[in-house]
Amino acid sequence: MRKALSLAMILVLTALLVACGGGDKAGEQGLAEELHIYNWSEYIDPEIYADFEEEFGVKVVEDTFSSNEDLLAKLQAGATGYDLIVPSDYMVAIMRELDLLAELNYDNIPNFSNISDVFRDPPYDPGNKYSVPYQWGTTGIGYDLDVFEEAPDSWGYLFDPEMAAPYAGQMSMLNDSRETIGAALKYLGYSINSTDEQQLEEAKQLLIQQKAWVSTYDSDGFEDLLAAGETVIAHGWSGDFFAAAEEAEQVWYVIPSEGGVIWTDNLAIPKSAPSQYTAEVFINYLLRPEVGAAITNYTWYGSPNQAAEEFIDPEILEEPAIYPPDEVMDKLEFIRDVGDATTLYDRIWTEIKSE
Ligand code: N2P
């Protein structure tokens, strides 16, 4: 009788195990089966998703966005499927304010200790309560070395009628309200965070005038257009140009002498995330030294992960346009949340685009 009972019990237990998916790595560890990340395009080596799936049994599904404003609009429109998002500095501040982000549980992210001091406790997220720095870089000018004998190291090459007109039809600008209006403000000698209506009006007029030379506003493929020879000068993000230069030797990048934009992009979890725990396990994975280095070796953006440094390609570490010297750093400005003036930026941007 006893024996029959225990046999029955074994059968029941086995059935239970099968039902729960025996060998289901993710389930066993309390992880979701899928992790949904909303990311910038070409911002991670797809191999990293595959490796994470192999080790943790979690399939990573990626969607991409083209600007912080698009990301915000999507979340505000009620998108609830994302476990992880990648907002820039000022957008973390805005999302924090709007109560869109989950507070991180650092018990699940012990590898945060790999983050360099310089990137901890940033003004846009004191104490890193809601965000972990992912990559950082600058915004400047990508160009074709076969066309420019000297680097076009001034915003004038994009805005000054005499300097820019020769590249009419072969010039692209980022499809990004803050970046593109910011570049115009910088050319005019103003802060990229100006909230002065008169200054913003001047920037708007300048951008409308520039439309005669701009062939496209693009934030996802600007480096490919340059690599393909469809453009010869492009407003864009440092790493994308350098990554393209690996294959297209004529592509290069310069930070304008007037200074440009510096930014930090971050990993953050929306309050509405289906599995905060899975997202935290993934963040912790991305913070491993080897994985952190693999990200930068693919994106050509700076890594805030100090422990990753020894695995990063020396060519990247030694490139002054990726890790700029102090005197260049001093001229760079972070985009900040401009509060109520955001509506002004949005309106101007719409007016420029629809002109
Ligand atoms: C990567 C884009 C970098 C994001 N393709 C700029 N914040």
Side-chain angles (χ1 to χ4, degrees):
M1 181 63 190
R2 248 234 176 95
K3 222 179 186 164
L5 242 183
S6 51
L7 190 70
M9 253 170 78
I10 288 170
L11 279 173
V12 169
L13 271 174
T14 316
L16 255 173
L17 261 176
V18 170
C20 298
D24 171 359
K25 265 191 267 179
E28 280 163 30
Q29 300 173 55
L31 295 164
E33 272 174 28
E34 285 186 352
L35 175 87
H36 291 258
I37 176 169
Y38 200 26
N39 198 357
W40 301 84
S41 62
E42 291 167 87
Y43 213 18
I44 191 164
D45 187 341
E47 205 40 57
I48 293 172
Y49 291 150
D51 290 348
F52 182 74
E53 178 172 1
E54 186 164 304
E55 186 172 331
F56 291 89
V58 178
K59 185 175 162 54
V60 184
V61 182
E62 184 192 81
D63 261 354
T64 59
F65 58 82
S66 316
S67 72
N68 283 294
E69 288 67 28
D70 285 357
L71 165 63
L72 175 63
K74 185 92 169 220
L75 286 191
Q76 285 188 310
T80 52
Y82 297 117
D83 299 289
L84 196 60
I85 55 175
V86 193
S88 301
D89 33 61
Y90 73 101
M91 191 47 70
V92 171
I94 292 174
M95 289 180 164
R96 221 163 33 93
E97 193 90 352
L98 292 170
D99 202 23
L100 290 168
L101 302 178
E103 213 176 298
L104 300 174
N105 177 358
Y106 278 96
D107 291 346
N108 300 325
I109 316 174
N111 290 339
F112 185 79
S113 61
N114 291 336
I115 294 285
S116 141
D117 280 348
V118 181
F119 288 90
R120 288 192 197 195
D121 197 21
Y124 56 85
D125 182 19
N128 292 96
K129 236 169 127 180
Y130 301 93
S131 68
V132 169
Y134 175 67
Q135 296 267 271
W136 69 274
T138 59
T139 313
I141 300 175
Y143 63 101
D144 187 324
L145 288 165
D146 295 336
V147 173
F148 291 88
E149 265 167 43
E150 276 168 39
D153 61 350
S154 161
W155 291 113
Y157 285 92
L158 298 176
F159 293 114
D160 178 276
E162 258 163 48
M163 291 162 83
Y167 312 109
Q170 297 177 289
M171 174 190 295
S172 76
M173 292 295 290
L174 286 172
N175 190 13
D176 189 301
S177 56
R178 292 300 310 274
E179 287 280 16
T180 300
I181 296 171
L185 287 167
K186 199 82 194 171
Y187 168 72
L188 292 167
Y190 305 137
S191 160
I192 53 163
N193 294 300
S194 174
T195 55
D196 181 297
E197 281 191 43
Q198 193 44 47
Q199 295 180 355
L200 282 161
E201 179 60 29
E202 275 181 65
K204 176 180 129 183
Q205 293 310 333
L206 189 65
L207 285 160
I208 289 173
Q209 165 177 282
Q210 188 204 35
K211 286 191 86 173
W213 317 311
V214 172
S215 61
T216 180
Y217 294 93
D218 185 309
S219 300
D220 300 302
F222 56 87
E223 74 283 19
D224 301 324
L225 294 174
L226 189 59
E230 288 189 34
T231 57
V232 297
I233 185 162
H235 175 223
W237 296 306
S238 48
D240 288 79
F241 291 119
F242 289 116
E246 278 205 283
E247 256 138 60
E249 279 175 12
Q250 85 281 17
V251 171
W252 208 239
Y253 170 80
V254 64
I255 298 173
S257 54
E258 300 93 344
V261 175
I262 180 169
W263 42 262
T264 309
D265 291 336
N266 305 271
L267 304 164
I269 304 176
K271 263 207 163 145
S272 57
S275 177
Q276 173 163 356
Y277 175 66
T278 309
E280 286 166 346
V281 170
F282 185 62
I283 292 174
N284 195 52
Y285 179 78
L286 295 181
L287 290 176
R288 287 183 187 175
E290 295 84 353
V291 180
I295 296 170
T296 280
N297 288 336
Y298 179 89
T299 64
W300 289 70
Y301 284 108
S303 176
N305 186 331
Q306 195 157 24
E309 222 161 274
E310 60 177 303
F311 305 105
I312 295 176
D313 184 348
E315 223 191 311
I316 295 178
L317 292 174
E318 285 156 21
E319 174 51 58
I322 301 179
Y323 288 90
D326 289 349
E327 64 272 20
V328 176
M329 280 291 215
D330 287 345
K331 286 194 268 182
L332 305 176
E333 220 182 334
F334 276 95
I335 293 176
R336 286 195 312 268
D337 173 17
V338 288
D340 292 344
T342 302
T343 33
L344 194 54
Y345 275 84
D346 288 346
R347 198 185 70 221
I348 289 178
W349 185 237
T350 312
E351 285 168 5
I352 295 162
K353 294 293 289 292
S354 60
E355 181 73 22

